[in-house]
């Protein structure tokens, strides 16, 4: 998308915002002279192609006719009709077009029903609170819902990643306007005494139909527009200029060397930080932490509270996010996506609000690191990226797959670059084939868990650096000066920490490191695989847990030993004569 098209998109969002506010004015109060004069001089294009597909074109003709042929309706007439049509003034009970969604969608046709609850929750999730302008309106009043659509249009115009914003608008329009506003507008036709309000009803229905059509088209274009493919070669200076431009719309993260962090003898840590130029990226060794901390922070406030209320924490940062990541880490993010966004049918809002803004830049691996076993886990390759880059060397090679970034490289020389992936690791792992529940029960009592965990100190460091671990705990932090105020935060946790499995009654499901190790190992190479389709494992073979463990416990060796044990249990191998079978451990 060119910069010009981005400007056009922003202008369209702002025009749609103004239109929603314009229609909200019809229903907010009686028509005054200022608005009436403004309406007389507005010229809507009645011959647009989109208008012909909806009722909007006929409504525009009716609007133009209303002012061209004087209907002899005074402002006093319109004020009286407003009270009669929308408030039921002077009419029998229910003889009005009441402007509340609940009236049209609830079984008893009364206010403050399910629709009202739903829109209240939606507004609250956006941090929107009632103010004095709302007066006596309930949250599902036609004005409130039209104003909220205006809010969403304005919000989307300020965000770099626009697809989720457009889909959010479409969802609200379908569920909380188009599901009742057409019937409401038909009631206006039945109860209004003036041509003006009958025309307003038709105009409103036509506009909502038109906007639904426009939204559908934009969403289709956004989804189709990301398909693109071009390879090019650029200088490091050219890439740095691109990063400078991208930083206006994105926060850019990559592995960065932090010499002052970690153990001095190990030359600091490499963690994901914001960068401004290529030279900030530590590309000569594996990062100590994965990029998951960009999307799933170590500590995250989910809401704040006081004695009277609580407020959910919603990110309002308009910038998108770019993450430079290796193939194994991109595959690890896919595992996190499954657990946070496809686990039980409900998406985690705190994760998804960040994840939906992310674009991935694949960093080609120059070599396999000492503890990697990504090839064994089938995570050495990925095509889930916007741009693939070969950053080693003086000239940068890129493959661009996302049309969103095409404009930044339009002057770059084309080439035939395809990203290269690691095809062999020094370290290799064999995944156990666990055929049935009976085998799983025998695995649970293997002596190997005690032997492997003899030196484990339950520090949880292996989970901390893992790119696919998603466990957390929630804690309340009270204000030191006022104990009635505070925050609820979720903080990374670990299944290898003794208290992780503690329940409300104080019981520990897993009391010993051997039980914790068994739980972690089976989750990584069995449970996740069974839950999410059987095509991939939770472990991606990055090897960071091996590097991190202060007791030199090697998870790759654990997997291989478990594979041997499963082969002995299922009869694929005979146990060596030197080994004697131990009694099953009672846990």
């Amino acid at each position: 998308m060119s910069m010009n098209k981005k400007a056009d998109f922003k202008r369209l969002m702002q025009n749609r915002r103004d239109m929603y506010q314009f229609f909200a004015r019809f229903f907010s109060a009686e028509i005054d002279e200022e608005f009436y004069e403004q309406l007389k001089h507005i010229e809507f294009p009645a011959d647009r192609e989109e208008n012909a597909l909806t009722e909007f074109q006929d409504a525009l003709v009716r609007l133009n006719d209303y002012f061209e042929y004087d209907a002899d309706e005074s402002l006093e007439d319109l004020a009286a009709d407003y009270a009669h049509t929308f408030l039921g003034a002077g009419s029998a009970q229910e003889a009005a077009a009441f402007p509340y969604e609940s009236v049209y969608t609830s079984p008893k046709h009364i206010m403050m029903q399910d629709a009202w609850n739903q829109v209240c929750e939606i507004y609250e999730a956006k941090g929107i609170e009632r103010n004095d302008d709302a007066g006596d309106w309930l949250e599902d009043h036609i004005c409130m819902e039209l104003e909220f659509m205006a809010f969403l249009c304005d919000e989307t115009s300020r965000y770099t990643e626009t697809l989720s914003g457009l889909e959010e608008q479409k969802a609200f329009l379908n569920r909380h306007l188009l599901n009742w506003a057409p019937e409401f507008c038909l009631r206006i036709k039945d109860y209004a005494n003036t041509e003006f309000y009958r025309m307003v009803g038709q105009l409103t229905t036509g506009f909502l139909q038109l906007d639904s059509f426009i939204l559908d088209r934009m969403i289709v274009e956004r989804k189709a527009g990301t398909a693109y493919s071009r390879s090019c070669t650029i200088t490091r200076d050219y890439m740095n200029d691109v990063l400078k431009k991208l930083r206006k719309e994105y926060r850019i993260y990559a592995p960065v060397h932090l010499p002052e962090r970690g153990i001095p003898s190990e030359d600091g840590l490499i963690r994901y930080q914001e960068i401004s130029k290529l030279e900030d990226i530590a590309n000569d060794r594996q990062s100590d932490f994965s990029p998951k901390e960009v999307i799933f922070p170590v500590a995250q406030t989910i809401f704040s509270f006081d004695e009277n209320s609580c407020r959910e924490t919603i990110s309002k940062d308009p910038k998108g996010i770019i993450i430079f990541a290796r193939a194994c880490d991109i595959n690890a993010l896919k595992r996190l996506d499954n657990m946070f966004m496809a686990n039980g049918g409900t998406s985690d809002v705190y994760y998804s609000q960040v994840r939906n803004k992310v674009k991935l830049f694949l960093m080609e691996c120059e070599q396999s690191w000492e503890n990697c076993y990504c090839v064994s886990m089938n995570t050495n390759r990925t095509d889930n990226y916007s741009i693939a880059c070969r950053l080693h060397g003086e000239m940068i090679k890129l493959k661009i797959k996302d049309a969103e970034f095409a404009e930044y490289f339009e002057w770059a020389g084309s080439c035939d670059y395809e990203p290269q992936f690691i095809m062999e690791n020094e370290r290799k792992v064999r995944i156990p084939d666990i055929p049935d529940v009976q085998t799983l029960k025998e695995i649970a009592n293997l002596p190997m868990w005690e032997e492997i965990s003899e030196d484990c100190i339950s520090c949880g460091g292996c989970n901390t650096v893992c790119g696919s671990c998603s466990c957390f705990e929630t804690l309340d932090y009270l204000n030191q000066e006022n104990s009635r105020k505070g925050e609820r935060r979720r903080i990374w946790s670990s299944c290898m920490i003794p208290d992780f499995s503690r329940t409300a009654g104080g019981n520990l499901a897993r009391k010993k490191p051997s039980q914790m190790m068994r739980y972690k190992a089976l989750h990584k190479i069995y449970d996740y695989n069974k839950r999410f389709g059987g095509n991939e494992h939770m472990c991606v073979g990055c090897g960071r847990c091996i590097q991190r463990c202060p007791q030199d416990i090697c998870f790759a060796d654990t997997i291989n030993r478990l594979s041997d044990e499963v082969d002995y249990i299922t009869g694929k191998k005979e146990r060596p004569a030197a080994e004697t079978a131990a009694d099953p451990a009672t846990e």
Side-chain angles (χ1 to χ4, degrees), residues 117-186:
N117 279 319
Q118 291 164 11
V119 296
C120 284
E121 291 176 359
I122 291 171
Y123 300 159
E124 184 179 357
K126 286 289 184 181
I128 297 174
E129 298 179 346
R130 289 180 64 91
N131 57 30
D132 294 338
D133 294 337
D136 295 330
W137 297 340
L138 295 175
E139 284 76 2
D140 62 342
H141 190 283
I142 184 72
C143 284
M144 299 281 275
E145 295 194 358
L146 291 169
E147 287 285 359
F148 184 67
M149 279 297 295
F151 169 86
L152 292 179
C153 292
D154 188 59
E155 182 181 60
T156 303
S157 74
R158 292 182 283 108
Y159 278 75
T160 299
E161 297 304 318
T162 58
L163 179 58
S164 61
L166 293 173
E167 290 178 331
E168 187 175 22
Q169 292 177 41
K170 179 66 177 176
F172 188 84
L173 180 61
N174 284 348
R175 296 171 190 167
H176 295 289
L177 272 168
L178 284 175
N179 71 324
W180 73 279
E183 184 181 351
F184 162 66
C185 291
L186 284 175

Coordinates of all heavy atoms in Angstrom, one line a residue, residues 117-186:
N117 N -26.9 -5.1 28.3 CA -25.7 -5.7 29.0 C -24.5 -5.8 28.1 O -23.4 -5.5 28.4 CB -26.1 -7.0 29.6 CG -26.8 -6.9 30.9 OD1 -26.5 -6.1 31.7 ND2 -27.9 -7.7 31.1
Q118 N -24.7 -6.3 26.9 CA -23.6 -6.6 25.9 C -22.9 -5.3 25.5 O -21.7 -5.2 25.5 CB -24.2 -7.3 24.7 CG -24.6 -8.7 25.0 CD -25.5 -9.3 23.9 OE1 -25.6 -8.7 22.8 NE2 -26.1 -10.4 24.1
V119 N -23.7 -4.3 25.2 CA -23.0 -3.0 24.8 C -22.3 -2.3 25.9 O -21.3 -1.7 25.8 CB -24.0 -2.1 24.0 CG1 -24.5 -2.7 22.7 CG2 -25.1 -1.6 24.9
C120 N -22.9 -2.5 27.1 CA -22.2 -1.9 28.3 C -20.8 -2.6 28.5 O -19.8 -1.9 28.8 CB -23.0 -2.2 29.6 SG -24.5 -1.1 29.8
E121 N -20.7 -3.9 28.3 CA -19.5 -4.6 28.4 C -18.5 -4.2 27.3 O -17.3 -4.0 27.5 CB -19.7 -6.1 28.4 CG -20.4 -6.7 29.6 CD -20.7 -8.1 29.5 OE1 -20.4 -8.7 28.4 OE2 -21.3 -8.7 30.4
I122 N -19.0 -3.9 26.1 CA -18.2 -3.5 25.0 C -17.6 -2.1 25.3 O -16.4 -1.9 25.1 CB -19.0 -3.5 23.7 CG1 -19.3 -5.0 23.3 CG2 -18.2 -2.9 22.6 CD1 -20.3 -5.1 22.1
Y123 N -18.4 -1.2 25.7 CA -18.0 0.1 26.0 C -16.9 0.1 27.1 O -15.9 0.8 27.1 CB -19.1 1.1 26.4 CG -20.2 1.2 25.4 CD1 -21.5 1.7 25.8 CD2 -20.0 1.0 24.0 CE1 -22.5 1.8 24.9 CE2 -21.0 1.1 23.1 CZ -22.3 1.5 23.5 OH -23.3 1.7 22.6
E124 N -17.2 -0.7 28.1 CA -16.3 -0.8 29.3 C -14.9 -1.3 28.9 O -13.9 -0.8 29.3 CB -16.9 -1.6 30.4 CG -16.1 -1.7 31.7 CD -16.7 -2.5 32.7 OE1 -17.8 -3.1 32.5 OE2 -16.1 -2.7 33.8
A125 N -15.0 -2.3 28.0 CA -13.7 -2.9 27.5 C -12.9 -1.9 26.8 O -11.6 -2.0 26.7 CB -14.0 -4.1 26.6
K126 N -13.5 -0.9 26.2 CA -12.8 0.2 25.5 C -12.4 1.4 26.4 O -11.8 2.3 25.9 CB -13.6 0.7 24.3 CG -13.7 -0.2 23.1 CD -12.4 -0.3 22.4 CE -12.5 -1.1 21.1 NZ -11.2 -1.2 20.4
G127 N -12.8 1.3 27.7 CA -12.5 2.3 28.6 C -13.4 3.5 28.4 O -13.1 4.6 28.9
I128 N -14.6 3.3 27.9 CA -15.6 4.4 27.6 C -16.5 4.5 28.8 O -17.1 3.5 29.2 CB -16.4 4.2 26.3 CG1 -15.4 4.2 25.1 CG2 -17.4 5.2 26.2 CD1 -16.1 3.9 23.8
E129 N -16.6 5.7 29.4 CA -17.5 5.9 30.5 C -18.6 6.9 30.2 O -18.4 7.8 29.3 CB -16.7 6.4 31.7 CG -15.7 5.4 32.2 CD -14.9 6.0 33.4 OE1 -15.0 7.2 33.7 OE2 -14.2 5.2 34.1
R130 N -19.7 6.8 30.8 CA -20.8 7.8 30.6 C -20.4 9.2 31.1 O -19.6 9.3 32.0 CB -22.1 7.4 31.4 CG -22.8 6.2 30.9 CD -24.0 5.9 31.8 NE -25.0 7.0 31.8 CZ -26.0 7.0 30.9 NH1 -26.1 6.0 30.0 NH2 -26.8 8.0 30.9
N131 N -20.8 10.2 30.4 CA -20.6 11.6 30.8 C -21.9 12.3 30.8 O -23.0 11.8 30.5 CB -19.6 12.2 29.9 CG -20.0 12.2 28.4 OD1 -21.2 12.2 28.1 ND2 -19.0 12.2 27.5
D132 N -21.9 13.6 31.1 CA -23.1 14.4 31.2 C -23.9 14.5 29.9 O -25.1 14.6 29.9 CB -22.8 15.8 31.8 CG -22.2 15.7 33.2 OD1 -22.5 14.7 33.9 OD2 -21.5 16.7 33.6
D133 N -23.2 14.4 28.8 CA -23.8 14.5 27.5 C -24.8 13.3 27.3 O -25.8 13.5 26.5 CB -22.8 14.5 26.4 CG -21.9 15.7 26.4 OD1 -22.4 16.7 27.0 OD2 -20.8 15.7 25.9
A134 N -24.6 12.2 27.9 CA -25.5 11.0 27.7 C -26.9 11.3 28.3 O -27.8 10.6 27.9 CB -24.8 9.8 28.3
G135 N -27.0 12.2 29.3 CA -28.3 12.4 29.9 C -28.9 11.2 30.4 O -28.3 10.4 31.2
D136 N -30.2 11.0 30.0 CA -30.9 9.8 30.5 C -30.9 8.6 29.6 O -31.5 7.6 29.8 CB -32.4 10.2 30.7 CG -32.6 11.3 31.8 OD1 -31.8 11.3 32.8 OD2 -33.5 12.1 31.7
W137 N -30.1 8.7 28.5 CA -30.0 7.6 27.6 C -29.4 6.4 28.2 O -28.4 6.5 29.0 CB -29.1 8.0 26.4 CG -29.7 9.1 25.5 CD1 -30.9 9.6 25.5 CD2 -28.9 9.9 24.6 NE1 -31.0 10.6 24.6 CE2 -29.7 10.8 24.0 CE3 -27.5 9.8 24.3 CZ2 -29.3 11.7 23.1 CZ3 -27.1 10.8 23.3 CH2 -28.0 11.7 22.7
L138 N -29.9 5.2 27.9 CA -29.2 4.0 28.2 C -28.2 3.7 27.1 O -28.2 4.3 26.0 CB -30.3 2.9 28.3 CG -31.3 3.0 29.4 CD1 -32.3 1.9 29.3 CD2 -30.6 3.0 30.8
E139 N -27.3 2.7 27.4 CA -26.2 2.5 26.5 C -26.6 1.9 25.2 O -25.8 2.0 24.2 CB -25.2 1.6 27.2 CG -24.3 2.3 28.3 CD -25.1 2.5 29.6 OE1 -26.3 2.1 29.7 OE2 -24.5 3.1 30.5
D140 N -27.7 1.3 25.1 CA -28.1 0.8 23.8 C -29.1 1.7 23.0 O -29.8 1.3 22.1 CB -28.8 -0.6 23.9 CG -30.0 -0.6 24.7 OD1 -30.3 0.3 25.5 OD2 -30.8 -1.6 24.7
H141 N -29.1 3.0 23.4 CA -29.8 4.0 22.6 C -29.2 4.1 21.2 O -27.9 4.0 21.1 CB -29.7 5.3 23.4 CG -30.6 6.4 22.8 ND1 -30.3 7.1 21.7 CD2 -31.8 6.9 23.2 CE1 -31.3 8.0 21.4 NE2 -32.2 7.9 22.3
I142 N -29.9 4.4 20.2 CA -29.4 4.5 18.8 C -28.3 5.5 18.7 O -27.3 5.3 18.0 CB -30.6 4.9 17.9 CG1 -30.1 4.9 16.4 CG2 -31.2 6.2 18.2 CD1 -29.8 3.5 15.8
C143 N -28.4 6.6 19.5 CA -27.3 7.6 19.4 C -26.0 7.1 20.0 O -24.9 7.3 19.4 CB -27.7 8.9 20.2 SG -28.9 9.9 19.4
M144 N -26.1 6.3 21.1 CA -24.9 5.8 21.7 C -24.2 4.8 20.8 O -23.0 4.8 20.7 CB -25.3 5.1 23.1 CG -25.9 6.0 24.1 SD -24.7 7.0 24.9 CE -24.2 5.9 26.2
E145 N -25.0 4.0 20.1 CA -24.4 3.0 19.2 C -23.8 3.6 18.0 O -22.8 3.2 17.5 CB -25.5 1.9 18.9 CG -25.9 1.1 20.1 CD -26.7 -0.1 19.8 OE1 -27.0 -0.4 18.6 OE2 -27.1 -0.9 20.7
L146 N -24.5 4.6 17.5 CA -23.9 5.4 16.3 C -22.6 6.1 16.7 O -21.7 6.1 16.0 CB -25.0 6.3 15.8 CG -26.2 5.7 15.1 CD1 -27.2 6.8 14.8 CD2 -25.8 5.0 13.8
E147 N -22.6 6.7 17.9 CA -21.4 7.4 18.4 C -20.3 6.4 18.6 O -19.1 6.7 18.4 CB -21.7 8.2 19.6 CG -22.6 9.4 19.4 CD -21.8 10.6 18.8 OE1 -20.6 10.4 18.6 OE2 -22.4 11.6 18.6
F148 N -20.6 5.2 19.1 CA -19.6 4.2 19.3 C -19.0 3.8 17.9 O -17.8 3.6 17.8 CB -20.1 3.0 20.0 CG -19.1 2.0 20.3 CD1 -18.1 2.2 21.2 CD2 -19.1 0.7 19.7 CE1 -17.1 1.3 21.5 CE2 -18.1 -0.2 20.0 CZ -17.1 0.1 20.9
M149 N -19.8 3.6 16.9 CA -19.2 3.3 15.6 C -18.3 4.5 15.1 O -17.3 4.2 14.5 CB -20.4 3.1 14.6 CG -21.0 1.7 14.6 SD -19.8 0.4 14.2 CE -19.5 0.8 12.5
A150 N -18.7 5.7 15.4 CA -17.8 6.8 15.1 C -16.5 6.7 15.8 O -15.4 7.0 15.3 CB -18.5 8.2 15.4
F151 N -16.6 6.3 17.1 CA -15.4 6.1 17.9 C -14.5 5.0 17.3 O -13.2 5.2 17.2 CB -15.8 5.7 19.3 CG -14.6 5.2 20.2 CD1 -13.8 6.1 20.9 CD2 -14.4 3.8 20.3 CE1 -12.8 5.6 21.7 CE2 -13.3 3.4 21.1 CZ -12.5 4.3 21.8
L152 N -15.1 3.9 16.9 CA -14.3 2.8 16.2 C -13.6 3.3 14.9 O -12.5 2.9 14.7 CB -15.2 1.6 16.0 CG -15.7 0.9 17.2 CD1 -16.6 -0.3 16.8 CD2 -14.6 0.4 18.1
C153 N -14.3 4.1 14.1 CA -13.8 4.6 12.9 C -12.5 5.4 13.2 O -11.5 5.3 12.5 CB -14.8 5.4 12.1 SG -16.2 4.4 11.5
D154 N -12.7 6.3 14.2 CA -11.6 7.2 14.5 C -10.4 6.4 15.1 O -9.2 6.6 14.8 CB -12.0 8.2 15.6 CG -11.0 9.3 15.9 OD1 -10.6 10.0 14.9 OD2 -10.6 9.4 17.0
E155 N -10.7 5.4 15.9 CA -9.6 4.5 16.5 C -8.9 3.8 15.4 O -7.7 3.7 15.4 CB -10.3 3.5 17.5 CG -9.3 2.6 18.2 CD -9.9 1.7 19.1 OE1 -10.8 0.9 18.6 OE2 -9.6 1.7 20.3
T156 N -9.6 3.2 14.4 CA -9.0 2.5 13.4 C -8.1 3.4 12.5 O -7.1 2.9 12.0 CB -10.1 1.8 12.5 OG1 -10.9 0.9 13.3 CG2 -9.4 0.9 11.4
S157 N -8.5 4.6 12.3 CA -7.7 5.5 11.5 C -6.4 5.8 12.1 O -5.4 6.2 11.4 CB -8.5 6.8 11.3 OG -8.5 7.6 12.4
R158 N -6.2 5.6 13.4 CA -5.0 6.0 14.1 C -4.1 4.8 14.2 O -2.9 4.9 14.7 CB -5.3 6.6 15.5 CG -5.9 7.9 15.4 CD -6.2 8.6 16.7 NE -7.3 8.0 17.4 CZ -7.3 7.2 18.4 NH1 -6.1 6.8 18.9 NH2 -8.4 6.7 19.0
Y159 N -4.5 3.6 13.9 CA -3.7 2.4 14.1 C -3.1 1.9 12.8 O -3.6 2.1 11.7 CB -4.6 1.2 14.6 CG -4.8 1.3 16.1 CD1 -5.6 2.2 16.7 CD2 -4.0 0.4 16.9 CE1 -5.8 2.3 18.1 CE2 -4.2 0.5 18.3 CZ -5.1 1.4 18.9 OH -5.2 1.5 20.2
T160 N -1.9 1.4 12.9 CA -1.1 0.9 11.8 C -1.7 -0.3 11.2 O -1.9 -0.4 10.0 CB 0.4 0.7 12.1 OG1 0.9 1.9 12.6 CG2 1.2 0.2 10.9
E161 N -2.0 -1.3 12.0 CA -2.6 -2.5 11.6 C -4.2 -2.4 11.7 O -4.8 -2.3 12.7 CB -2.2 -3.7 12.5 CG -0.7 -4.0 12.4 CD -0.2 -4.2 11.0 OE1 -0.9 -4.9 10.3 OE2 0.8 -3.7 10.6
T162 N -4.8 -2.3 10.5 CA -6.2 -1.8 10.4 C -7.2 -3.0 10.3 O -8.4 -2.7 10.5 CB -6.4 -0.9 9.2 OG1 -6.0 -1.5 8.0 CG2 -5.5 0.4 9.4
L163 N -6.8 -4.2 9.9 CA -7.7 -5.2 9.6 C -8.6 -5.6 10.9 O -9.8 -5.7 10.8 CB -7.0 -6.5 9.1 CG -7.9 -7.7 8.8 CD1 -8.9 -7.3 7.8 CD2 -7.1 -8.9 8.4
S164 N -7.9 -5.7 12.0 CA -8.7 -6.1 13.2 C -9.7 -5.0 13.6 O -10.8 -5.2 14.1 CB -7.7 -6.3 14.4 OG -7.0 -5.2 14.7
G165 N -9.3 -3.7 13.3 CA -10.2 -2.6 13.6 C -11.4 -2.6 12.7 O -12.6 -2.4 13.1
L166 N -11.2 -2.9 11.4 CA -12.3 -3.1 10.5 C -13.2 -4.2 10.8 O -14.5 -4.1 10.8 CB -11.8 -3.2 9.0 CG -11.0 -2.1 8.4 CD1 -10.4 -2.5 7.1 CD2 -11.9 -0.9 8.3
E167 N -12.7 -5.3 11.2 CA -13.5 -6.5 11.6 C -14.2 -6.2 12.9 O -15.4 -6.7 13.1 CB -12.6 -7.7 11.8 CG -12.0 -8.2 10.5 CD -11.1 -9.4 10.6 OE1 -10.4 -9.5 11.7 OE2 -11.0 -10.2 9.7
E168 N -13.7 -5.4 13.8 CA -14.4 -5.0 15.0 C -15.6 -4.1 14.7 O -16.6 -4.3 15.3 CB -13.4 -4.3 16.0 CG -14.0 -4.0 17.3 CD -12.9 -3.4 18.3 OE1 -11.9 -2.8 17.8 OE2 -13.1 -3.4 19.5
Q169 N -15.4 -3.2 13.8 CA -16.5 -2.4 13.3 C -17.6 -3.2 12.7 O -18.8 -3.0 13.0 CB -16.0 -1.3 12.3 CG -15.0 -0.3 12.8 CD -14.5 0.6 11.7 OE1 -15.3 1.0 10.8 NE2 -13.2 1.0 11.8
K170 N -17.2 -4.1 11.8 CA -18.2 -5.0 11.2 C -19.0 -5.8 12.2 O -20.2 -5.9 12.0 CB -17.4 -5.9 10.2 CG -18.4 -6.8 9.4 CD -19.3 -6.1 8.5 CE -20.1 -7.1 7.7 NZ -21.1 -6.4 6.8
A171 N -18.3 -6.3 13.2 CA -19.0 -7.1 14.2 C -20.0 -6.3 14.9 O -21.1 -6.7 15.2 CB -17.9 -7.7 15.1
F172 N -19.6 -5.1 15.3 CA -20.6 -4.3 16.1 C -21.7 -3.8 15.2 O -22.9 -3.8 15.7 CB -19.8 -3.0 16.7 CG -20.7 -2.3 17.6 CD1 -20.8 -2.6 19.0 CD2 -21.4 -1.1 17.2 CE1 -21.6 -1.9 19.8 CE2 -22.2 -0.4 18.0 CZ -22.3 -0.8 19.4
L173 N -21.4 -3.5 14.0 CA -22.5 -3.0 13.1 C -23.5 -4.1 12.9 O -24.7 -3.9 12.9 CB -21.8 -2.6 11.7 CG -22.8 -2.1 10.7 CD1 -23.6 -0.9 11.1 CD2 -22.0 -1.8 9.4
N174 N -23.0 -5.4 12.7 CA -23.9 -6.5 12.4 C -24.7 -6.9 13.7 O -25.9 -7.1 13.6 CB -23.2 -7.7 11.9 CG -22.7 -7.6 10.5 OD1 -23.2 -6.7 9.8 ND2 -21.8 -8.4 10.1
R175 N -24.0 -6.9 14.8 CA -24.7 -7.4 16.0 C -25.5 -6.4 16.8 O -26.4 -6.7 17.5 CB -23.6 -8.0 17.0 CG -22.8 -9.2 16.4 CD -21.7 -9.6 17.3 NE -20.8 -10.5 16.6 CZ -19.6 -10.9 17.1 NH1 -19.1 -10.3 18.1 NH2 -18.9 -11.8 16.4
H176 N -25.1 -5.1 16.7 CA -25.8 -4.1 17.5 C -26.3 -2.9 16.7 O -26.6 -1.9 17.3 CB -24.8 -3.7 18.6 CG -24.4 -4.7 19.6 ND1 -25.3 -5.2 20.5 CD2 -23.3 -5.5 19.7 CE1 -24.8 -6.2 21.2 NE2 -23.5 -6.4 20.7
L177 N -26.4 -3.0 15.5 CA -27.1 -1.9 14.7 C -28.0 -2.5 13.7 O -29.2 -2.3 13.7 CB -26.1 -0.9 14.1 CG -25.7 0.2 15.0 CD1 -24.6 1.0 14.5 CD2 -26.9 1.2 15.3
L178 N -27.4 -3.3 12.8 CA -28.2 -3.9 11.7 C -29.2 -4.9 12.1 O -30.1 -5.3 11.4 CB -27.3 -4.4 10.6 CG -26.6 -3.4 9.7 CD1 -25.7 -4.1 8.7 CD2 -27.7 -2.6 8.9
N179 N -29.0 -5.4 13.4 CA -30.0 -6.4 13.9 C -31.3 -5.8 14.4 O -32.2 -6.5 14.7 CB -29.3 -7.3 14.9 CG -29.1 -6.5 16.2 OD1 -28.8 -5.3 16.2 ND2 -29.2 -7.2 17.4
W180 N -31.3 -4.5 14.5 CA -32.5 -3.9 15.0 C -32.9 -2.5 14.4 O -34.1 -2.2 14.3 CB -32.4 -3.7 16.6 CG -31.5 -2.6 17.0 CD1 -30.2 -2.7 17.1 CD2 -31.9 -1.3 17.4 NE1 -29.6 -1.5 17.6 CE2 -30.7 -0.6 17.8 CE3 -33.1 -0.6 17.5 CZ2 -30.7 0.7 18.2 CZ3 -33.1 0.7 18.0 CH2 -31.9 1.4 18.3
A181 N -31.9 -1.8 13.9 CA -32.1 -0.4 13.4 C -33.1 -0.5 12.2 O -33.9 0.4 12.1 CB -30.8 0.2 13.0
P182 N -33.0 -1.4 11.3 CA -34.0 -1.4 10.2 C -35.5 -1.5 10.7 O -36.4 -0.8 10.2 CB -33.6 -2.7 9.4 CG -32.2 -2.8 9.6 CD -32.0 -2.4 11.0
E183 N -35.7 -2.3 11.7 CA -37.1 -2.4 12.3 C -37.5 -1.1 13.0 O -38.6 -0.7 12.9 CB -37.2 -3.6 13.2 CG -38.6 -3.8 13.8 CD -38.7 -5.0 14.8 OE1 -37.7 -5.7 14.9 OE2 -39.8 -5.1 15.4
F184 N -36.5 -0.6 13.7 CA -36.7 0.7 14.3 C -37.1 1.8 13.3 O -38.0 2.6 13.5 CB -35.4 1.1 15.1 CG -35.3 2.6 15.4 CD1 -36.2 3.1 16.4 CD2 -34.3 3.4 14.9 CE1 -36.1 4.5 16.7 CE2 -34.2 4.7 15.2 CZ -35.1 5.3 16.1
C185 N -36.4 1.8 12.2 CA -36.7 2.8 11.1 C -38.1 2.6 10.5 O -38.7 3.5 10.0 CB -35.6 2.8 10.1 SG -34.0 3.5 10.8
L186 N -38.5 1.3 10.4 CA -39.8 1.0 9.9 C -40.9 1.6 10.8 O -41.9 2.1 10.4 CB -40.0 -0.5 9.7 CG -39.3 -1.1 8.4 CD1 -39.5 -2.6 8.4 CD2 -39.9 -0.5 7.1

